[in-house]
Amino acid sequence: MHTHNWFRALSLALLSALLLIGCGTTVVNPVTGREERTVMDEATEIAEGGKAHKQVLAEYGVYDDPQLQAYVDGIGQKLAQRSHRSELPWTFTVVDSPEINAFALPGGYIYITRGLMAHLDSEAELAAVIGHEIGHVTARHGAQRATRQQDAGLGVLAATVLGAVLESRGVGGAASGVSQMSQGVAAGWLAGYSREQELQADQLGAEYLVRNHYDPGNMVDVIGALKAQENFAADMARAEGREPPSGTNWLSSHPSNDQRLAEIRSIAAGYQGTYEDDGRDRYLQAIDGINFGESREQGVTRGQNFFHEELGIALTAPRGWRIQNTPEAINVVNPAGDAGLIVRLVPPQAGNTHDEIIRNLIRPTEGRVERGKLHGLAATQFVGARRNDRGQPESVRVVLVSGPQDRNYLLNYGARDAAALRRAADGLAEAQGSFRPLSQSERAKAQPWVLKTVPYPRGGFAELARSSPLGPRAEAQLRLLNSSYASDREPRPGQAVKVVR
């Protein structure tokens, strides 16, 4: 859970974006050489991309590693300078997110998450991801999307920024936030590049790799690594009796299928040449020590516990329940997935007292208030009714807690229906009752994990798993991190491999 809110910040940007709708102009596409009508010429691309860049950084934060940032920027700038739009003021940023993603904004703003970097295996694979994203910018795909959105009643910034948000989250992860800002707009359509645009970005990415002496076959390797990550996530979900996740990584927001993978192979095979080494040693040295999983600023999940050192809070999920740590909230979800406790940080402007917060956030029509304590923290429970956004009456049950550092938290019971709420009542009460100040002994557990490189031992991944903090599925996850998941590929003894410490 972050201490800021991306969607709230964006709402102000959207107001100004609506003023940008115009009749458009004609430009020459730098890649195709053909004229196209657009609402976003190059100057507007740069200006609006710069505004959106600030919003992206406000949400994710820049990953705090100047050497890693310089390394990624160096790769990106090298690729961009041999692209179709070398004159753009290109910006390459590693953002502080465990998600497995990369995305682009018009004007030359490219983002890669530290989560994706952990799963790549060489500099050439990093270049393949960046080259694909550069291709979206050089071919003006964001500007083309903005032009399409003109007829949908959205401004330039709305089209490009919301699309980038959806890509960065995975389509499913951002749909609820988008609906808060653009009712009636098909969020999936906003996010989606067309099949032709994806193929063009693949072709351009391969071309930019070759121009910089990287083997274009690394684009195939990246797709293979990310498909392995999806398979791993699905296998883990099935092992825990859950539905496999969807919309969680770069493949989800850049749709891929067997035909597209075949096309990428065909594109790569069309280039013949001698290429430099893949830069694996340089890459592993660059990412050595990078945070793995959740960060200190996001709070960390350790088994059934959630610890947030920066906020000074902790909570525990009931047995069989799971914790979902999102930028907007901490969700403690029951095994059926139809009920959960939602913990949100209350914005300071919502009020100074519990009564003010209830009036401003809940806007109740009736109800009762009970005062109490929760692990020594002042707590107020409200049970009553309110009218939802459609004006319909609905019941509401929330607990407000004054946590450390004068921050207030809203603990809200959520369920698919009344029956699900009744079935989950005991677990919800247990989760609520676990909300507490972070103890001194828990602070050590609140530290993030980091990625390290070690020589591959003769005992293989099984030996590495015995000293890993990743839990019972450590061996599978270590294989995933080292391009050995569900394959016969095995590192040589003594070869550098990635582990989690």
Side-chain angles (χ1 to χ4, degrees):
M1 180 174 67
H2 290 168
T3 57
H4 39 66
N5 191 310
W6 159 250
F7 294 113
R8 187 172 63 245
L10 261 183
S11 62
L12 296 176
L14 287 169
L15 292 176
S16 61
L18 295 174
L19 302 175
L20 297 174
I21 299 174
C23 297
T25 187
T26 300
V27 300
V28 175
N29 189 291
V31 171
T32 66
R34 294 193 294 265
E35 290 186 344
E36 60 187 29
R37 191 188 73 83
T38 185
V39 296
M40 184 180 276
D41 60 16
E42 184 170 288
T44 307
E45 277 190 78
I46 295 170
E48 297 307 321
K51 292 177 186 176
H53 176 65
K54 295 176 183 177
Q55 300 289 349
V56 171
L57 298 188
E59 162 62 6
Y60 288 105
V62 176
Y63 182 64
D64 187 14
D65 186 333
Q67 286 186 319
L68 183 66
Q69 294 287 350
Y71 173 73
V72 172
D73 183 68
I75 302 300
Q77 296 294 346
K78 182 172 68 170
L79 290 163
Q81 289 310 305
R82 294 181 178 177
S83 75
H84 293 84
R85 302 181 73 182
S86 60
E87 76 288 348
L88 283 178
W90 292 90
T91 300
F92 300 90
T93 307
V94 181
V95 291
D96 189 12
S97 170
E99 297 166 1
I100 298 175
N101 255 305
F103 57 104
L105 287 174
Y109 294 89
I110 309 292
Y111 309 90
I112 184 166
T113 63
R114 60 173 172 80
L116 177 53
M117 293 199 68
H119 287 80
L120 299 178
D121 206 43
S122 70
E123 181 176 289
E125 289 186 5
L126 171 64
V129 171
I130 294 176
H132 177 98
E133 296 302 331
I134 288 175
H136 280 307
V137 176
T138 57
R140 306 189 76 255
H141 292 162
Q144 290 167 0
R145 179 166 53 194
T147 304
R148 292 199 311 268
Q149 292 308 311
Q150 186 181 41
D151 294 334
L154 286 175
V156 171
L157 188 59
T160 57
V161 175
L162 292 185
V165 173
L166 287 164
E167 287 150 19
S168 68
R169 291 281 180 222
V171 175
S176 61
V178 173
S179 68
Q180 296 171 14
M181 298 183 293
S182 53
Q183 297 292 335
V185 176
W189 187 63
L190 267 172
Y193 288 118
S194 69
R195 184 178 178 280
E196 290 74 20
Q197 287 175 325
E198 286 296 345
L199 179 60
Q200 188 178 34
D202 290 337
Q203 291 169 332
L204 290 168
E207 181 178 342
Y208 300 154
L209 286 180
V210 172
R211 289 184 183 184
N212 288 273
H213 309 293
Y214 293 112
D215 186 343
N218 283 282
M219 296 193 70
V220 180
D221 295 336
V222 168
I223 298 299
L226 295 176
K227 286 184 76 69
Q229 189 275 335
E230 286 192 333
N231 292 337
F232 170 81
D235 291 344
M236 295 304 101
R238 283 190 287 268
E240 297 171 4
R242 296 185 284 109
E243 286 291 318
S246 62
T248 57
N249 72 12
W250 195 64
L251 287 181
S252 305
S253 52
H254 298 69
S256 182
N257 51 35
D258 291 339
Q259 183 179 358
R260 181 182 170 206
L261 193 54
E263 289 170 342
I264 294 173
R265 288 196 178 99
S266 177
I267 291 167
Y271 290 95
Q272 302 295 327
T274 302
Y275 306 108
E276 296 177 2
D277 73 282
D278 63 4
R280 184 174 188 269
D281 291 341
R282 290 191 300 274
Y283 185 77
L284 293 183
Q285 183 178 359
I287 66 171
D288 191 57
I290 193 173
N291 281 1
F292 181 79
E294 299 152 311
S295 69
R296 178 179 179 272
E297 291 76 19
Q298 296 156 348
V300 300
T301 306
R302 298 291 182 255
Q304 295 300 104
N305 295 297
F306 175 81
F307 306 118
H308 203 306
E309 184 185 21
E310 187 174 282
L311 296 177
I313 60 170
L315 57 82
T316 301
R319 183 182 179 88
W321 291 45
R322 65 185 186 278
I323 296 170
Q324 297 175 341
N325 182 17
T326 75
E328 291 78 34
I330 309 160
N331 304 314
V332 186
V333 184
N334 70 342
D338 59 6
L341 181 73
I342 305 163
V343 181
R344 292 189 179 94
L345 187 63
V346 175
Q349 61 269 29
N352 297 317
T353 68
H354 289 187
D355 289 341
E356 286 180 357
I357 294 170
I358 289 171
R359 282 198 304 271
N360 295 331
L361 286 187
I362 309 302
R363 300 189 300 277
T365 55
E366 61 178 352
R368 68 180 189 277
V369 167
E370 296 180 9
R371 315 285 184 189
K373 294 281 187 180
L374 192 57
H375 295 280
L377 303 173
T380 300
Q381 178 173 272
F382 173 81
V383 180
R386 54 167 287 177
R387 292 194 179 277
N388 61 25
D389 294 337
R390 297 182 298 275
Q392 300 167 330
E394 64 179 10
S395 58
V396 59
R397 177 176 178 175
V398 299
V399 175
L400 271 166
V401 183
S402 292
Q405 305 166 36
D406 296 323
R407 291 187 171 105
N408 290 300
Y409 296 85
L410 187 70
L411 283 58
N412 184 25
Y413 286 23
R416 183 176 59 193
D417 51 39
L421 187 64
R422 287 193 298 271
R423 290 192 298 269
D426 291 343
L428 290 167
E430 182 182 341
Q432 173 188 302
S434 75
F435 186 89
R436 60 192 182 274
L438 189 70
S439 69
Q440 195 60 41
S441 63
E442 289 172 331
R443 289 190 178 276
K445 302 174 184 177
Q447 301 308 307
W449 292 332
V450 296
L451 210 65
K452 302 295 291 184
T453 55
V454 300
Y456 189 63
R458 294 196 176 276
F461 288 112
E463 179 179 334
L464 293 174
R466 286 196 288 272
S467 60
S468 172
L470 294 173
R473 298 180 180 85
E475 183 175 349
Q477 195 158 0
L478 289 171
R479 285 185 173 276
L480 176 71
L481 284 169
N482 290 282
S483 304
S484 298
Y485 187 74
S487 76
D488 297 329
R489 181 175 172 182
E490 195 83 12
R492 301 183 310 275
Q495 179 181 342
V497 293
K498 294 174 280 186
V499 296
V500 178
R501 294 283 187 254

